[in-house]
Amino acid sequence: MPEVSIMPEPFRIGAVNVGQSVIIAWMVIAALIALMIIARVRINRFSGAPKGFQALCELIVGGAHDFAASRLGAEHAQSKAAAEIAAPAVLTLMVYVFMTTVIELFGLPPATDDINCTLALGLCAFIMVNVTAVRVKGIKGRALAWTKPMAGVAPIRILTDLITPFSMAVRLFANVLAGGVIMKLLYAVAPVLVPAALGAYFNVLHVAIQTFVFGLLPLMYIGEAVE
Amino acid sequence: MPVLGLIAIGAGLYGLAACGVGIGMGISTAHAVDALARQPEASGKINSTLMIGMIMMETVAIYGLLVSILSIFILGGRV
């Protein structure tokens, strides 16, 4: 039977246990920072007509803004402002989630296979949702949104909001863990050819779907908060 | 090992979560198809709303799968 554990894998530096997912995450962050520096240097040479690398960059950034605007609705000025604030943060979250999870394809353990990592991401998304809502509607408007449709539901609505980081964390963690367990079982049963075919789903497409969901959920919560 | 057998039955019973989710997904897809047949021009909105509902349902199935995996591998490992 393959070994499955929900406890974070230990990784010791000296006497301190920093956790394996932290190391993997920092490797991914280092790669992403290098990519961003290259992009920043090349932005200076961007011209009016995009092609090649510039077209790719504009596709990704423009896609994130369109995604946020389409989810929040661009009719009202408030939701438009919220989409402008949220789009870069959502893109950051999605890139991080995708890269730390798809790294499983290269034989490294994914960082999102650790409940600490996903809970941190969930809390980041929670803070992002509330900061966006407060910046768009003000603290008073954010508090008043809880009293709709009547004042009596406020405790339940506050509780629903407070649960969202844990819900997002457990969702991502369970999806990545389930994908990993299924792949481990497959490697144990049929080590040749079959994992290659199913790995395309569990290590790439499944990850892409989870990334999309992880970007969609904060936008949904923002939409609820600013409507 | 009667305890291991009980754990296996319990883990299998979490499949009922998938059963309920399957029914829910069937109902929501059926209604989405109805709506599409009636108003094909609203396909974008219908698709994205269906997607959100699907994600919510899928979460329940994933929670069931998580508990099932944990009961097999964590509880089963302790027997």
Side-chain angles (χ1 to χ4, degrees):
Chain A
M1 196 154 79
E3 278 295 307
V4 172
S5 165
I6 52 160
M7 298 305 286
E9 295 286 326
F11 189 97
R12 288 184 192 284
I13 296 178
V16 188
N17 181 11
V18 291
Q20 193 188 53
S21 64
V22 177
I23 304 294
I24 299 288
W26 272 107
M27 280 164 60
V28 172
I29 292 169
L32 286 175
I33 286 175
L35 197 68
M36 291 309 122
I37 289 172
I38 294 171
R40 186 67 195 87
V41 169
R42 290 189 62 166
I43 275 176
N44 296 332
R45 286 191 273 129
F46 278 5
S47 56
K51 63 173 195 228
F53 184 70
Q54 184 185 357
L56 183 70
C57 290
E58 289 189 3
L59 190 72
I60 293 170
V61 175
H65 277 92
D66 287 349
F67 178 51
S70 72
R71 294 284 3 132
L72 292 174
E75 298 93 36
H76 307 293
Q78 278 191 335
S79 42
K80 215 171 179 177
E84 284 298 308
I85 299 168
V90 168
L91 180 63
T92 311
L93 269 178
M94 285 172 78
V95 168
Y96 183 84
V97 169
F98 185 77
M99 292 307 290
T100 47
T101 314
V102 89
I103 201 164
E104 198 177 5
L105 199 63
F106 305 106
L108 290 164
T112 42
D113 202 357
D114 183 346
I115 189 80
N116 298 313
C117 177
T118 55
L119 188 57
L121 285 169
L123 287 171
C124 286
F126 176 72
I127 291 167
M128 190 261 286
V129 167
N130 283 293
V131 166
T132 310
V134 167
R135 271 180 68 176
V136 170
K137 297 200 83 173
I139 289 173
K140 202 177 159 208
R142 176 81 181 105
L144 280 177
W146 285 322
T147 61
K148 283 170 190 164
M150 54 195 227
V153 299
I156 298 169
R157 293 205 61 167
I158 292 170
L159 198 63
T160 314
D161 276 9
L162 287 178
I163 280 172
T164 55
F166 303 102
S167 159
M168 289 177 72
V170 174
R171 182 197 319 266
L172 183 61
F173 168 67
N175 273 299
V176 177
L177 182 76
V181 168
I182 291 168
M183 284 311 289
K184 269 181 196 166
L185 291 173
L186 269 176
Y187 277 119
V189 174
V192 193
L193 280 177
V194 182
L198 281 164
Y201 174 73
F202 282 110
N203 289 348
V204 182
L205 193 63
H206 188 239
V207 174
I209 294 170
Q210 290 317 313
T211 308
F212 175 71
V213 170
F214 208 87
L216 187 66
L217 283 170
L219 288 175
M220 262 175 61
Y221 297 140
I222 291 172
E224 269 172 30
V226 300
E227 76 181 350
Chain B
M1 285 240 193
V3 181
L4 195 61
L6 285 176
I7 289 171
I9 291 173
L13 281 179
Y14 285 112
L16 288 176
C19 177
V21 170
I23 294 169
M25 280 188 170
I27 292 171
S28 61
T29 313
H31 283 275
V33 172
D34 273 358
L36 272 175
R38 210 167 289 162
Q39 274 187 301
E41 67 274 15
S43 64
K45 269 192 173 171
I46 293 169
N47 275 340
S48 56
T49 315
L50 178 68
M51 186 83 192
I52 291 170
M54 287 281 182
I55 290 164
M56 292 294 150
M57 282 182 263
E58 189 215 50
T59 311
V60 178
I62 286 290
Y63 286 171
L65 180 63
L66 178 72
V67 178
S68 173
I69 286 172
L70 296 189
S71 27
I72 292 172
F73 289 100
I74 307 297
L75 283 181
R78 287 198 186 149
V79 173

